[in-house]
C-alpha cells in the first residue's frame, strides 16, 4: 500500500480536470464522508475482516460494467474466470486480458472509476495497459494482503459514515450480527429485500413463504398471518439497523384490492394455481401493502423500476445474473405508481425513493411526480447514467420540475467495495460541473451552490434514508 | 409601488447573470412588447379593473408550480388557504409558510419568476425568507392597492401588446364585451375552448350541447345543426377578437368518418347510449371537423396533448383542478394527428399549433412533423420545461429538424398575471443562451442571431396566431 | 469550377467557427479520406460518368430535408419540379424559389451542408438569397459541365476511399459491373437490399421471389430453395465488392421458428393466403435467417429501425417516396432484437449495425445493448439528428454506456452526391465539439482525443464494414 493511504482518498492527484468554477465547488465536497444508502457489498466482509482474494475479485468480477464491455469486445466470460473459485482461476492471465482491453473503456464511467481507484488506493497513476499489466497486478496483489486493506480498515479510510447492504428477507443477518460486535468506524446496516416472498411469479415463492413462516413463527397459511410474518421480519431487520426496503422490477404495476380478494389470490398462489395475471396483481397489491407497512414502521421504501435483466439467455444459463446483460426498458410511472401513491403518497413522513434507468420517463413522468407527491423522492441516476455527462443530464432533466429538495442524493449501487470512493468522487465531480453551469447560466447564486452541493453529496441521502441517528 | 415602476419592467437589476454573448442578445429583446397568445387570465380583471385581493391571490394561488412544490414538501393545501375566499383566509400566515419554504424552489423556474416579479414589480430584491416574510407581505399588500397596480395599468406597464384568455364555448364573453369599452393599451381577446361541447365522454356533454342550441338558436338535435351551432359560436368569438381555439387532451387521437357515421354516433351520444370507444371516435372526428372549420374561418387551432390531469384523487375531490397534480404522459403524434393532418394539413393558410410536455415525443415525432406539414407549427416548451435549461433543451431538440420558421414563439400559459413579464423575461434569457451557443458552435452568424431572437420573442407568435392586425 | 478545386475540399474557408480546442481536433481529421458505408448514390453515375443535369438535380431534388422544409413553408412540390424530367423543368425558376426560402433553413444541418457545398465545391461564399439566385444558378450550371465535375473526377477530388450504394437484391449490378471497368480512385461497392424478397406483406412479394428464382436458377417453390437462392444472391453481390446488407423497417420484430413452420408460412405467402400476423412472423424469422447467413458469409448486417415512411398520403400518391414525409417512431429494441441476438449475437465475428432516429430508445436500450452484445454495433445518428447539436447529443447519450469501440462511425445516408463532403465535414465538426467537451470536462486526455477522433471519422467505419482490404 502506498504511504499516506487515507490521505489519498479524496486528496490525491485529480483524475479529471475541472474548470475553475467547478473545481471550487468540488473542493468544498470532495472530502465529505461517504453515505452509501444502496449497494451490494457482502456483509461477510465486515463480519470476518479477511483480506480480498486477488485483484480479479477486487476490480473485475464485482462490476457488471467491466464484464459487459469486455464481453462486447469478444472476450469470453470463461477467459475472465467468471464462475471459477478464486484459488482455481489464473488471476494474472485474467488481469492481462483486462489490461489489454482497458483503453476500450475510454469515455465510460468505468474508466474513470478504475483510474481513480488505482491512483488513490494503490498509488498507480500510469494508465493500465498490456505492458504494465503484470506489474500492476503484482502491486495490487501485494497491497491487498496488508491489514490496511482489510475491510474494516478500508471502511475507515474510505471515510464511510453509513453503508447499507442488500439482504434477503429470509436472511438471518448473521454477518450483520457479527459485524456489530466489532467497533467499526462507519455504520454497516442491512436492507430488507422481500421480493422473494412477495412475487408469486417466482418458482420458489411458495417455499420462500414456508421458510418465512418458520423463521417468524407465524402461520402463513392465512393472508393475515403472512402479513404479520412480513411485519415481524421488517422489525427484525430494523433491530439490526435497517432503515430501508428495496424492490426491483422490470415493469411497474401497483394496485390495491380488498383484503378478501388479496387473501383469495394469496391462497391460490400458495396452492400453486394462480394465473399469471392474478400473480401480477397480487404482487402489485403487496407493493402497496409494503408501502402501508412503511407508513407504520418508518422503513424507507426503495423501488428500482425499468431494468430487463439477463437478456442474454445463454450467458444467464451458464454464468447466472449480474454478468452484464441487463438492459433498461420503458416504464409507465403514472399508471404504475397510481394505486400506491393515492393510498400512501400524501404524507411527507413516509419516504418512497424511486430509481429508473429510463431517462425519458424519468424526465417526463417521475421527476414531475416527485415534485408533487410528499412521499416520493427521486433516486439518483441509475445504471448507465453514472458518468459525468449522465449525471449532468440527469440533473438538467429533473431539477426544474422536481427541485433539489425532492431528490435522494447518490446511491453507488455497487458490489465493488474498492470502487466506492471513486464512484462518489465521480458523482461529486458531476454535481460540481452541474452546479458550475447553473451559476454560469445565472440559475443559482454562490451561496445556493455551496448549500446544494453539500446536500447532493451527503445530506439528502441522510435525510431520505433516515440515517441522521447514525452520523 | 416603487418609483419608476414601468422602467423596472425589463430594465431593472438583472436576476440572472448571462455570459457577454448571451447578454448582448438578451439586450436586443428584453424590452420588446409582450405577446401572450395563450394563458388563463381572468377577463373580469379587464372588465372591472378592481385591485387584486392580497399577495396570496397575486403570487401563490394562481400558480400550480407553487402549490405543487409546497405540497411536495409537506405543506397542506388547507394551510395555503386553497378553496377559501380571500376575505376569510389568513393571508399573512399563508405567506409566511410560503416564505419559509421559498429556498426549496431553487433551481426551478418558479424561483426565478418569483424573484424577477418581486424585484421588478415590487422593488423587493432581498431573497424571500421566513425573516422578511411579513415585511414583504405588507409591502406587496400596500402596493397592489395603488391604481398603478390595477389590471388596466399593469397591462400597459407590462407593455403587453396582445393577451389571449381561455373561454368556454358557452361563455357569453360579457367580460370581454365590457373590457372592450375601455380604451386598453394592449389588446385582450378570448380563445374558443369547445371541448365541453365536443367530448361525449364528459358527464355534462348533453347538457352543454343543449345549452349550445339555446345560445345559438340552432337545432342541435341533428348533426348538421350541431355543426352549424359550432360555426355560429366560432363566429361569435371572432367578433370579440378571438383568433384561436384550443383543445386539451391527455392522449391524442384524431379520426375521420363519414358524416352519416358521425351523425349516428352523435345521436347516440345525445341519447346517452354511446359506448366509450364510440365516444372517443366521435371526439377524434370532431377534432378533424374543427380543423376543417379552421380552414374555413381562419381560427388558429391549438392542441395541448400529453398531460394527465388530477392524478392525486383525494386532492382533486377536495380542492378541484389546477392544484399541482398534473403529470406529463407519453403521446403518439404520428397516429394521433394522422387523420387530421392528412385531411387539412397540406395548406400553410391554416395554423395548427401543437404543444406537449413529453420531451422525447416532441423531439422524435412532433418536431419532424412540424418540419414537414405546412399547417403544423410547434408550440413552445410546455409545463415543466419552462426553466432556462428546459428552454435550451427544447430548442436544442427541435431546431435541427423543425427550423425556426416552423415554431410558434412563446406561450406563458399562466393564470398568474403578475408573473407574465417574468415568464417572458425567462424565455428571452433562455433564447439568448441558446442563440449564444448556436453562435459559439458556429451554427449561426451574428445577423441570423439578431433576427431569430426577435422572431422567437415576438414575431413568430404574432404570425402563428394571426395577431398582425392588433400590433 | 473555382481553381484549386481539390484543395477546397476540406481546406477552404471554414463555415463554422469552432473554439480553439475543437478546432485543434478538427484540424487533425478534416483532411481524412471519406468512408461512406451507407448511402443512396446512383451507381449509373460511376458507370457512365456523364455530367449532372442541372443545379436542381445536384442540390434540391436528392435531399428530403430540402423538400420537406420548402413544403412546410408552403412551397408545392410541383413548383419544385418534382416528378418532372430534367429537360422539361424550369431549373432557374425552381432555384429561385429555393433561394427565396433559403434563410428558413437556418439552424438545420441543411443550411450548413448547403453553405459548405456552395463554398467548397463552387467557390460561392455569399449567402444564397433571392437576389443572387440567378447568378448562383448560372455559376453552378456552368461548373457542372466541366469534366472536373463529372462523377469520376468528383469521387477522386472528394477523396472518397469507399462508397457503398444500395441495390435491390434483384438488381443485376450492371452499373457496378461497368463502373469496375474504369480505374476509379475510390472504391464503389453495392449493398445487398433484400426486403423486397423477404417481406410477404409487400404486394409484389410473390413476383419478386419468382424473379429471384429466375436470376439464381434456384427452385424457390421450396423453402430450402428460397434460402439457397438468397445465399446465391449474397454471393453474387459479394463478387462485386458488397460487404453489407441492409433492412429498413418501421417497427422491429425478429423471431425464430422451426424450419418446418417457416416453410409452411413461406408456402402460404407464395400461395397468397398468409394472414398479416403470419406474414410479420415470417419476415421476423427471415431477419434472423439473414443474420445467420451473415455469420456464414461475413456480410455485415445493417438494420434501420423506427422510421414511419410516407406519412403524407396525398404526397405519396402524387410524388412517390423520399419527398420529406418520413417521421421517426418509437421502437422496442429489447424485444425486437431478442430472437436475432440470442441466436447469433454472441460472436464478435459478425457485425450487426443498428440505426434509429428515436433518440430516447437509442439512449435507453440500443446503446446499452451495443455495449453488451459482441455482434452489435451502434450506427451513427440517424435522420433529423445530423446537425452539430444532434451529433453532440448522440455522443453524449451513448458513449458512457456503449463506449467508443462499439460504435460504427458515420454514415451519410444521402443520395445527394455533391453534399457528401459537407456531411462528413459536419460530422467531423460535431465530433470535434464533443471531444473538446470531453477534454474540458476531464473525461478524456489529449492522447485519447486524437485517437478517438480518427476512429470516429474513419477507422470505426472501416472496421465495422470490413473495408480494410479496400483502403
Amino acid at each position: 500500500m502506498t504511504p499516506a493511504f487515507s490521505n489519498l482518498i479524496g486528496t490525491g492527484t485529480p483524475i479529471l480536470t475541472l474548470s475553475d468554477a467547478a473545481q471550487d465547488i468540488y473542493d468544498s465536497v470532495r472530502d465529505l464522508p461517504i453515505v452509501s444508502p444502496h449497494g451490494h457489498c457482502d456483509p461477510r466482509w465486515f463480519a470476518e475482516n479477511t483480506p480480498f482474494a486477488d485483484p480479479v475479485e477486487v476490480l473485475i468480477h464485482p462490476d457488471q460494467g467491466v464484464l459487459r464491455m469486455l464481453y462486447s469486445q469478444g472476450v469470453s466470460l470463461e477467459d475472465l474466470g467468471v464462475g471459477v473459485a478464486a484459488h482455481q482461476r489464473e488471476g494474472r492471465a485474467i488481469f492481462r486480458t483486462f489490461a489489454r482491453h482497458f483503453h476500450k473503456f475510454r469515455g465510460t464511467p468505468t474508466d474513470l472509476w478504475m483510474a481513480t481507484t488505482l491512483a488513490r488506493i494503490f498509488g498507480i497513476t500510469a494508465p493500465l495497459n498490456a505492458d504494465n499489466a503484470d506489474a500492476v497486478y503484482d502491486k495490487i496483489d501485494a497491497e491487498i494482503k496488508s491489514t490496511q486493506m482489510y475491510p474494516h480498515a478500508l471502511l475507515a479510510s474510505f471515510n464511510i459514515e453509513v453503508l447499507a447492504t442488500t439482504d434477503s428477507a429470509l436472511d438471518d443477518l448473521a454477518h450483520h450480527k457479527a459485524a456489530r460486535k466489532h467497533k467499526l468506524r462507519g455504520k454497516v446496516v442491512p436492507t430488507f429485500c422481500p421480493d422473494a416472498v412477495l412475487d408469486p411469479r417466482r418458482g420458489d415463492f411458495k417455499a420462500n413463504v414456508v421458510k418465512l413462516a418458520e423463521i417468524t413463527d407465524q402461520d402463513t397459511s392465512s393472508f393475515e398471518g403472512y402479513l404479520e410474518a412480513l411485519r415481524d421480519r421488517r422489525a427484525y431487520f430494523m433491530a439490526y439497523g435497517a432503515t430501508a426496503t428495496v424492490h426491483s422490477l422490470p415493469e411497474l404495476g401497483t394496485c390495491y384490492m380488498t383484503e378478501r380478494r388479496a387473501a383469495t389470490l394469496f391462497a391460490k398462489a400458495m396452492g400453486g394455481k394462480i394465473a399469471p395475471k392474478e400473480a401480477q396483481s397480487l404482487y402489485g397489491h403487496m407493493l402497496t401493502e409494503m408501502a402501508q407497512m412503511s407508513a407504520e414502521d418508518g422503513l424507507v421504501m426503495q423501488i428500482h423500476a425499468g431494468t430487463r435483466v439477463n437478456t442474454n439467455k445463454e450467458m444467464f444459463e451458464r454464468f447466472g445474473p449480474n454478468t452484464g446483460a441487463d438492459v433498461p426498458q420503458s416504464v409507465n410511472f403514472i399508471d404504475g405508481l397510481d394505486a400506491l401513491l393515492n393510498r400512501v403518497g400524501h404524507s411527507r413522513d413516509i419516504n418512497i425513493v424511486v430509481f429508473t434507468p429510463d431517462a425519458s420517463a424519468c424526465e417526463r413522468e417521475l421527476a414531475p411526480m416527485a415534485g408533487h407527491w410528499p412521499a416520493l423522492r427521486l433516486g439518483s441516476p441509475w445504471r448507465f447514467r453514472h458518468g459525468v455527462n449522465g449525471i449532468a443530464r440527469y440533473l438538467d432533466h429533473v431539477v426544474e420540475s422536481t427541485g433539489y429538495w425532492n431528490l435522494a442524493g447518490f446511491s453507488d449501487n455497487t458490489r465493488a467495495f474498492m470502487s466506492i470512493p471513486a464512484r462518489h468522487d465521480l458523482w461529486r465531480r458531476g454535481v460540481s460541473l452541474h452546479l458550475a453551469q447553473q451559476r454560469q447560466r445565472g440559475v443559482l447564486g454562490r451561496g445556493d451552490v455551496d448549500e446544494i452541493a453539500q446536500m447532493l453529496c451527503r445530506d439528502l441521502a441522510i435525510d431520505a434514508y433516515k440515517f441522521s441517528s447514525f452520523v
Side-chain angles (χ1 to χ4, degrees), chain A:
Chain A
M1 183 154 60
T2 56
F5 164 72
S6 62
N7 284 342
L8 276 172
I9 305 303
T11 55
T13 311
I15 301 298
L16 287 168
T17 311
L18 298 173
S19 66
D20 288 350
Q23 186 70 39
D24 279 355
I25 301 166
Y26 173 66
D27 287 343
S28 77
V29 293
R30 72 173 178 188
D31 295 325
L32 286 177
I34 287 174
V35 175
S36 175
H38 179 80
H40 300 277
C41 285
D42 190 340
R44 180 191 298 264
W45 298 335
F46 309 106
E48 301 182 352
N49 198 36
T50 49
F52 291 99
D54 64 0
V56 172
E57 180 181 348
V58 167
L59 297 177
I60 299 175
H61 282 186
D63 192 335
Q64 276 209 44
V66 171
L67 298 179
R68 59 194 290 280
M69 177 61 84
L70 294 174
Y71 179 76
S72 81
Q73 289 291 319
V75 178
S76 71
L77 296 191
E78 283 92 342
D79 286 349
L80 295 172
V82 175
V84 178
H87 67 279
Q88 287 183 309
R89 69 189 168 218
E90 305 238 31
R92 185 184 297 269
I94 293 167
F95 201 81
R96 265 183 220 147
T97 299
F98 171 56
R100 200 169 65 240
H101 288 278
F102 185 62
H103 60 288
K104 294 178 181 169
F105 289 93
R106 291 287 184 280
T108 72
T110 309
D111 180 57
L112 298 173
W113 291 333
M114 200 61 72
T116 305
T117 302
L118 291 176
R120 300 218 179 150
I121 300 186
F122 299 106
I124 298 161
T125 53
L128 180 64
N129 57 42
D131 293 335
N132 64 16
D134 282 4
V136 168
Y137 183 88
D138 291 342
K139 181 159 173 56
I140 299 171
D141 203 41
E143 296 271 9
I144 58 178
K145 291 177 172 52
S146 144
T147 54
Q148 287 174 280
M149 288 284 189
Y150 284 22
H152 288 182
L154 289 180
L155 198 63
S157 61
F158 287 172
N159 198 12
I160 293 176
E161 282 185 297
V162 193
L163 178 83
T165 64
T166 38
D167 310 84
S168 162
L170 301 172
D171 195 290
D172 62 5
L173 303 182
H175 295 309
H176 280 279
K177 213 175 296 185
R180 284 160 73 93
K181 293 190 183 138
H182 303 288
K183 290 239 177 276
L184 298 181
R185 257 193 62 195
K187 186 97 178 170
V188 177
V189 297
T191 301
F192 184 65
C193 308
D195 283 340
V197 293
L198 293 184
D199 190 347
R201 292 166 296 189
R202 297 173 58 123
D204 56 358
F205 172 73
K206 189 178 167 179
N208 292 334
V209 173
V210 168
K211 193 168 170 208
L212 177 68
E214 291 164 15
I215 296 171
T216 58
D217 206 22
Q218 297 286 342
D219 174 11
T220 63
S221 69
S222 78
F223 188 60
E224 304 85 62
Y226 171 58
L227 294 182
E228 205 48 42
L230 288 167
R231 282 194 195 91
D232 187 282
R233 269 281 93 182
R234 294 170 65 103
Y236 184 83
F237 271 65
M238 290 179 79
Y240 286 98
T243 69
T245 71
V246 65
H247 304 274
S248 294
L249 41 166
E251 293 100 9
L252 180 61
T254 64
C255 58
Y256 194 74
M257 51 184 78
T258 61
E259 184 160 338
R260 171 188 285 248
R261 171 79 181 144
T264 303
L265 292 187
F266 176 70
K268 278 190 173 188
M270 293 303 287
K273 288 180 181 160
I274 191 163
K277 281 232 161 176
E278 291 173 329
Q280 195 180 337
S281 293
L282 181 56
Y283 179 64
H285 175 81
M286 288 309 299
L287 289 173
T288 308
E289 286 279 9
M290 296 303 285
Q292 293 187 152
M293 289 187 197
S294 280
E296 292 165 15
D297 64 20
L299 282 177
V300 177
M301 183 182 201
Q302 294 177 97
I303 297 177
H304 300 154
T307 300
R308 185 89 68 95
V309 297
N310 310 320
T311 63
N312 185 327
K313 296 178 181 73
E314 180 183 315
M315 177 181 278
F316 178 64
E317 278 159 24
R318 295 180 56 200
F319 300 102
N322 301 321
T323 46
D326 300 352
V327 182
Q329 70 180 12
S330 191
V331 180
N332 180 330
F333 286 103
I334 304 181
D335 291 319
L337 290 172
D338 182 55
L340 188 152
L341 289 173
N342 271 293
R343 191 109 193 137
V344 302
H346 305 82
S347 161
R348 189 83 186 156
D349 294 335
I350 118 159
N351 292 355
I352 301 169
V353 188
V354 181
F355 299 79
T356 185
D358 179 354
S360 46
C362 182
E363 178 185 5
R364 179 180 54 237
E365 297 160 24
L366 191 56
M369 289 168 72
H372 165 72
W373 289 100
L376 194 59
R377 305 199 187 201
L378 186 61
S380 64
W382 202 240
R383 284 180 170 229
F384 307 108
R385 307 178 68 198
H386 277 154
V388 282
N389 295 316
I391 293 166
R393 274 206 313 288
Y394 163 83
L395 291 168
D396 189 27
H397 284 185
V398 309
V399 165
E400 292 182 344
S401 57
T402 316
Y404 293 104
W405 270 256
N406 286 311
L407 304 181
F410 178 64
S411 287
D412 56 63
N413 187 30
T414 191
R415 62 193 79 241
F417 185 45
M418 289 282 190
S419 75
I420 287 178
R423 287 166 191 259
H424 286 261
D425 188 68
L426 200 61
W427 168 255
R428 290 166 187 192
R429 290 173 185 277
V431 163
S432 302
L433 285 164
H434 163 76
L435 291 173
Q437 174 167 300
Q438 291 283 68
R439 273 211 77 195
Q440 183 246 313
R441 306 201 117 196
V443 177
L444 296 174
R446 175 75 224 197
D448 298 328
V449 158
D450 287 342
E451 180 186 3
I452 294 168
Q454 166 91 20
M455 282 168 51
L456 286 168
C457 296
R458 177 171 177 271
D459 301 349
L460 283 169
I462 290 172
D463 185 52
Y465 287 91
K466 304 188 179 175
F467 286 155
S468 56
S469 68
F470 298 161
V471 296

